[in-house]
Amino acid sequence: MTLRMHVDAGRWRRHLQATLAATPGLVPVAKGNGYGFGIEMLAHEATALGVDTLAVGTYPEIDSAAGFGGTVLVLSPWRPFLGAPKDDRRVLHTVSRLDDLAEMAALPHRPRVLVEVLTSMRRHGIPAERLDEVRPLLDGVQLEGWTVHLPLVGDTTSEAQRLIDRARSVREAPAWVSHVPAAQLARLGDGIRSRVGTGLWLGAPGALDVRSTVLDVHNLSPGQTFGYRQRSLRRGGVLLVVSGGTAHGIALAAPSAVSTMRQRGIAAAEGGLQALGRARSPFILDGRGTWFAEPPHMQCSMILLPSGAPVPRPGDDVEVRVRHTIAHVDEVVLH
Ligand SMILES: *Cc1c(COP(=O)(O)O)cnc(C)c1O
């Protein structure tokens, strides 16, 4: 039941190197599902890139990044109730509330911190107008920078510049930013650290190819039922069982494409499948998208062969268009 991601390693690593060269102070981000590669693998790639810092999302993810020898930045802000490691000098904490900064400053070992400034994202951060209250707390910590997390739209560079200037009037320190286009980073001055995940790991077009395998092929006669839901095809067809299910992050595509009554009518006329609940699948056969025969199972999916397409055999590969930020493949194969 294997779902594999094939990586054109030469192409992928050339892109990693090019991104490194184009991005001042690059800090690779390896969090969550590790952008489909897994955090462990990205930790080793970050080591090969020679960067000094790797960012993870949460405190428990630090363990997955053990293969990286440098500083590990935790992007989720420190909170007293999160069970952060007490005195691990590899760890660089993000602090986003005055109360938390005060608590950290009272610890005996002067933790390494970035202080987060609130942006128009309004997720975490100390509001710019309260930054003067940060100053007296800085003696108790090792301030390694100011950090801002910007939205993906709008004039983020101007916002970053304004907030960084304000923060640097409190204490001169590097500025850690996300989602500022590489071409704009120069406007922010020196000492910029740019955190990049998607654009780094997933930015090389054509380097990644996720493949499922045909596990079974069933000819369906008209009206013959199949699946947990015992649906049937009025005109019959070919049912394929392919590897890849909900455990891999294979989900029903938003059914909006077939949501109107008219489209449902078309769907019904086309295949005779009970049109209600019919959903596009991410599996590609004969260069064409396919339909789920029913919602994906845990580790495999039932899909319908597009009419007229050559019938594959068990063991054949099937292309899958996954969202890499939610995919969990069984195997990453470098070529
Ligand atoms: C996840 C995250 C990033 C990386 O985002 P991408 O869009 O994947 O590049 C950068 N900064 C912060 C604070 C994040 O949480």
Side-chain angles (χ1 to χ4, degrees), residues 13-127:
R13 289 188 174 131
R14 273 194 299 281
H15 170 76
L16 301 184
Q17 287 292 347
T19 308
L20 177 70
T23 314
L26 176 71
V27 179
V29 175
K31 66 183 177 188
N33 73 335
Y35 293 84
F37 298 89
I39 295 174
E40 291 82 356
M41 179 174 166
L42 298 185
H44 286 106
E45 288 299 322
T47 303
L49 278 176
V51 294
D52 61 3
T53 305
L54 178 70
V56 297
T58 62
Y59 284 101
E61 286 173 359
I62 294 173
D63 288 343
S64 306
F68 180 75
T71 294
V72 178
L73 164 65
V74 180
L75 295 168
S76 300
W78 185 91
R79 292 284 187 268
F81 46 81
L82 282 184
K86 280 270 178 295
D87 188 13
D88 185 340
R89 298 313 289 172
R90 275 186 322 146
V91 177
L92 178 54
H93 304 271
T94 302
V95 187
S96 70
R97 300 189 306 179
L98 284 162
D99 286 353
D100 294 340
L101 185 60
E103 203 162 322
M104 292 192 95
L107 294 171
H109 57 272
R110 294 187 79 231
R112 302 171 63 191
V113 303
L114 301 183
V115 174
E116 182 163 10
V117 184
L118 190 68
T119 70
S120 56
M121 276 281 288
R122 299 206 190 289
R123 194 162 78 176
H124 306 296
I126 297 171

Side-chain angles (χ1 to χ4, degrees), residues 29 31 35 75 123 149 178-179 195-199:
V29 175
K31 66 183 177 188
Y35 293 84
L75 295 168
R123 194 162 78 176
H149 186 208
S178 313
H179 303 142
R195 291 167 299 215
V196 188
T198 306

